[in-house]
Amino acid sequence: MSFPSIVTLDIGGTKINAGRYVNGVIEDSRSFKFCANANLENIEAFIIHCIDTFFIQNTIGIAIGVPCIVDTQLGVVYDAVNIPAWKKFDLKSRLEQHYKVEVYVNNDVNCFTAGEHKFGAGKGYNDIVGLCLGTGVGSGFIIQNQLYQGQNCSAGEVGEISYLNSTIDDYCSGRFFELQYGVNGAELALSARAGDTHAIAAFEQFGQHLAHAIAHLLLIIDPQVIVIGGSVSHSFDLFIEAVWKGLKTFPYQKVIQNLTISPSNQHDSALLGAAHLHLASLR
């Protein structure tokens, strides 16, 4: 039996992950390096190239997670911090004209959170926060088993909160290691695992900053579980102890006692979540 497929994309600041969703799984996927500073026409052409890689005869739709706020009804994206050309862009309409199939667009972290709730570490929980630590910091909310995105799809943009001399983005994402230590976080993680005390201290400091961001989320959402994704989550073991230590000063320790913080165990959570949200929007 042949099942219909959905082409699904997760657009980030430096790469686009794309794949083909079929009957609850991503049967094929690939990561593409992405020049987010390109002009509007080149960005659109590159997205079409990524979609073409997975678009086949039985493709019935396209689902996309984007790093910005979205009008999820119209599929218009606004003010993408890492994609300067996307001040206001009608992504859904442009792609529907090209492919003649239904296109669904939502925030990338919302897609990640929906994927973790349906398929990953958030499965079985009613209230979860998906927290993505990559080029920047973003969070998504599942409240009583429903995605909460706010009126403008901007709920969870915790990275924009002012913190110290900048914002949480600069202290709780991959930027932290480059700004404070002048080195890529992945390289620093290798050094930390090799016993380098300087690198180990860097991740401890990162965890302390992340505890501050998590405290904000706990005061607002009070979830059962926080699922951490994004490139920095690969170093979860290096910073989680410092996070728990930082949360010892949280004013409501009952919240901390009942909280689970887990790394994502799904490689394609955002792709799965985008496809799941697309299918749900058609019902």
Side-chain angles (χ1 to χ4, degrees):
M1 181 179 180
S2 177
F3 292 95
S5 69
I6 295 173
V7 176
T8 177
L9 275 68
D10 176 24
I11 300 177
T14 58
K15 64 181 179 179
I16 294 177
N17 293 327
R20 187 184 301 116
Y21 172 95
V22 180
N23 194 32
V25 299
I26 301 297
E27 66 171 23
D28 189 15
S29 65
R30 179 180 163 190
S31 183
F32 301 82
K33 289 185 178 179
F34 175 45
C35 179
N37 289 316
N39 62 37
L40 199 59
E41 293 76 16
N42 287 341
I43 289 173
E44 183 178 351
F46 187 70
I47 289 172
I48 287 172
H49 165 70
C50 295
I51 294 171
D52 284 347
T53 304
F54 298 99
F55 198 96
I56 57 178
Q57 187 173 359
N58 72 346
T59 297
I60 62 165
I62 298 166
I64 304 177
V66 294
C68 52
I69 65 172
V70 186
D71 183 324
T72 55
Q73 296 299 313
L74 299 178
V76 178
V77 300
Y78 296 92
D79 301 318
V81 174
N82 295 315
I83 307 176
W86 278 6
K87 296 300 181 188
K88 179 181 179 182
F89 183 60
D90 192 349
L91 182 60
K92 173 181 166 73
S93 177
R94 298 285 294 185
L95 293 178
E96 285 183 344
Q97 290 173 21
H98 186 89
Y99 288 102
K100 312 303 180 189
V101 298
E102 187 78 19
V103 174
Y104 176 84
V105 186
N106 206 316
N107 174 266
D108 55 350
V109 187
N110 285 345
C111 293
F112 167 81
T113 305
E116 286 295 331
H117 182 239
K118 179 72 174 178
F119 302 98
K123 189 174 183 180
Y125 292 96
N126 298 325
D127 301 295
I128 83 170
V129 168
L131 182 59
C132 284
L133 316 175
T135 307
V137 180
S139 61
F141 307 140
I142 298 286
I143 301 174
Q144 290 299 293
N145 293 310
Q146 297 294 319
L147 176 67
Y148 178 78
Q149 57 191 28
Q151 180 173 332
N152 301 292
C153 199
S154 68
E157 293 293 340
V158 65
E160 298 300 321
I161 294 174
S162 296
Y163 178 55
L164 299 180
N165 64 342
S166 185
T167 64
I168 282 175
D169 260 347
D170 284 343
Y171 287 91
C172 299
S173 73
R175 295 181 197 171
F176 170 75
F177 304 104
E178 295 175 358
L179 291 172
Q180 300 296 324
Y181 293 89
V183 65
N184 179 278
E187 295 176 20
L188 203 61
L190 291 174
S191 298
R193 293 198 172 95
D196 185 305
T197 55
H198 180 71
I200 292 169
F203 280 97
E204 290 175 350
Q205 188 179 17
F206 176 84
Q208 292 167 12
H209 294 308
L210 184 58
H212 181 84
I214 287 174
H216 276 79
L217 294 170
L218 295 179
L219 289 168
I220 298 167
I221 298 297
D222 189 22
Q224 295 164 288
V225 60
I226 296 175
V227 184
I228 297 182
S231 58
V232 184
S233 70
H234 300 147
S235 303
F236 182 86
D237 58 307
L238 297 173
F239 61 74
I240 186 57
E241 185 177 342
V243 169
W244 286 119
K245 183 178 180 181
L247 290 174
K248 286 183 177 179
T249 59
F250 190 76
Y252 309 116
Q253 282 300 299
K254 185 67 173 177
V255 172
I256 305 305
Q257 293 166 16
N258 290 331
L259 177 67
T260 298
I261 303 177
S262 298
S264 170
N265 55 24
Q266 276 282 350
H267 177 67
D268 292 319
S269 292
L271 300 183
L272 287 163
H276 171 67
L277 291 172
H278 186 5
L279 291 171
S281 74
L282 299 176
R283 296 182 190 129

